[in-house]
Amino acid sequence: MSIKQQLVRILLRGMKEVYMDRIISDKLYLSLLYRRVLDKKMHWDNPCTFNEKLQWLKIYNRRNEYTQMVDKIAVKKIVAEKLGEKYIIPTLGVWDDFDDIDFSILPDRFVLKCNHDSCICKNKNTFDIAEARKKMRKGLKQNLYWAGREWPYKDVKPRILAEKFMEDEGGDGDLKDYKLMCFNGKVYCTFVCSERFEGSGLKVTFFDRDWKRLSFERHYPSSEKVIFKPVHYYEMIRLAEELSKNIPFVRSDFYEINGQLYFGELTFYPGSGLEEFTPPEWDRRLGELIKLPHIDPLLL
């Protein structure tokens, strides 16, 4: 079960009134949520672990540009300006409502996305439009801010995006995304999400900067398969570091498709800062890499 699904269950089971009424501050809400999910106290005055520092950053590192950076549509312009258009997956259309989509002008294969969900169409003749409408409209009504108080999402305008269907012709059908974790502008490690559609479920495998497996897991098990270093891995590192300049922590995602790199998304709070580490010591080890910006102690 994903951390987002766990958050929804927790909110509905034990914090329904708090979530629905939205009557407490983000800081108090996160203190309660952190305790409930990880069974630990949140140390706001001296955060040390990776998960603690992500909560701290939610409250004290609020820069306006973060909202555009998490918007799947707006971020494309930012990345194109910084890295170049060649890294952008082509956009086929943008709409405010599902019924505005003219499917006749879309190609046979495409991907529909909203703020945090997607529908993949591999054959327009068999594409379930009714199910896609249901899924997209549900997504348009949800705001990712509320569950984990990830504030950059709060003011993202809900829209539907259609993108070109991307397929690695030389791959195994499992389009891997490479997620580079950037600490104060430097990539320390990368994790790969694989085997999403296999019976055993999603695997998340961590590698260091030189593509050696790291000896920890975070919420999901690592893959037992050999995962080869992408051909353009060091270019990924360069691009991710360009996107992460002057940011305490951000995750930059890329795909390598048919020998070409493509940007995926930027994420400031992976797993909402609520995923456990095995062994636990890695929570602190990664936390030590985040250098928090200075703020007035009176604000803590």
Side-chain angles (χ1 to χ4, degrees):
M1 183 184 298
S2 72
I3 194 67
K4 296 295 184 185
Q5 290 171 320
Q6 289 189 63
L7 285 175
V8 170
R9 285 195 175 188
I10 288 166
L11 290 167
L12 292 177
R13 182 177 67 245
M15 302 180 68
K16 185 174 181 180
E17 293 78 12
V18 171
Y19 174 64
M20 297 302 292
D21 295 339
R22 304 167 185 180
I23 58 175
I24 64 173
S25 69
D26 288 353
K27 187 173 179 180
L28 176 56
Y29 176 93
L30 289 173
S31 296
L32 296 171
L33 189 62
Y34 192 82
R35 168 74 76 177
R36 185 174 286 267
V37 175
L38 295 176
D39 195 27
K40 296 177 181 178
K41 179 181 178 181
M42 175 63 207
H43 298 96
W44 293 104
D45 56 343
N46 185 32
C48 295
T49 68
F50 179 78
N51 283 326
E52 282 186 325
K53 287 188 176 181
L54 290 194
Q55 307 310 318
W56 191 97
L57 290 169
K58 290 178 186 179
I59 300 297
Y60 297 113
N61 185 232
R62 299 189 171 190
R63 289 162 50 181
N64 291 335
E65 60 264 35
Y66 290 177
T67 293
Q68 285 70 48
M69 293 170 76
V70 301
D71 185 322
K72 292 188 188 318
I73 299 166
V75 72
K76 289 190 175 192
K77 181 179 179 181
I78 295 172
V79 174
E81 290 174 350
K82 289 188 175 183
L83 306 182
E85 285 283 351
K86 69 177 183 178
Y87 299 107
I88 304 301
I89 294 175
T91 296
L92 302 176
V94 176
W95 305 272
D96 293 331
D97 185 76
F98 188 90
D99 286 340
D100 293 334
I101 302 173
D102 182 356
F103 284 94
S104 68
I105 66 173
L106 292 177
D108 190 51
R109 301 196 296 175
F110 56 87
V111 177
L112 290 182
K113 296 181 177 180
C114 58
N115 288 347
H116 66 285
D117 213 340
S118 64
C119 294
I120 298 174
C121 174
K122 295 185 178 182
N123 185 333
K124 197 159 60 172
N125 292 328
T126 60
F127 185 58
D128 190 336
I129 293 180
E131 182 61 28
R133 179 187 289 109
K134 179 180 178 181
K135 192 174 185 179
M136 290 293 101
R137 283 188 168 172
K138 180 179 179 181
L140 290 174
K141 292 178 181 178
Q142 295 176 340
N143 188 319
L144 289 181
Y145 161 71
W146 291 108
R149 299 298 164 100
E150 299 178 29
W151 73 269
Y153 294 102
K154 188 174 183 179
D155 294 324
V156 172
K157 181 180 179 180
R159 290 180 289 178
I160 298 172
L161 164 71
E163 289 184 338
K164 179 181 177 181
F165 177 83
M166 307 297 287
E167 184 175 30
D168 190 359
E169 295 173 358
D172 57 6
D174 182 15
L175 191 61
K176 299 178 182 64
D177 49 297
Y178 302 93
K179 301 176 180 292
L180 289 78
M181 298 177 71
C182 304
F183 299 79
N184 300 94
K186 293 295 181 181
V187 172
Y188 174 79
C189 60
T190 297
F191 64 91
V192 181
C193 294
S194 62
E195 301 156 59
R196 293 179 185 273
F197 307 110
E198 297 186 14
S200 58
L202 175 66
K203 303 296 187 297
V204 175
T205 311
F206 285 82
F207 297 86
D208 70 8
R209 194 179 173 98
D210 296 315
W211 207 254
K212 295 178 181 178
R213 282 204 184 212
L214 290 168
S215 58
F216 73 90
E217 296 177 336
R218 187 166 186 252
H219 191 66
Y220 298 97
S222 59
S223 176
E224 295 181 359
K225 298 181 179 181
V226 175
I227 300 177
F228 294 101
K229 180 172 69 175
V231 174
H232 301 288
Y233 180 53
Y234 294 107
E235 184 181 356
M236 283 186 198
I237 290 178
R238 179 181 65 81
L239 298 176
E241 291 184 344
E242 179 65 28
L243 293 175
S244 66
K245 284 182 178 179
N246 302 315
I247 300 175
F249 175 84
V250 67
R251 195 193 77 206
S252 300
D253 298 359
F254 290 90
Y255 299 96
E256 187 176 70
I257 305 171
N258 301 321
Q260 168 67 37
L261 291 186
Y262 292 95
F263 169 76
E265 65 179 6
L266 296 173
T267 301
F268 290 95
Y269 322 104
S272 204
L274 295 167
E275 291 183 339
E276 73 286 356
F277 285 81
T278 305
E281 68 190 63
W282 278 91
D283 194 3
R284 183 173 292 273
R285 289 180 66 171
L286 293 187
E288 291 173 351
L289 299 174
I290 300 178
K291 307 304 179 187
L292 298 177
H294 176 75
I295 66 167
D296 187 337
L298 295 177
L299 297 176
L300 291 172

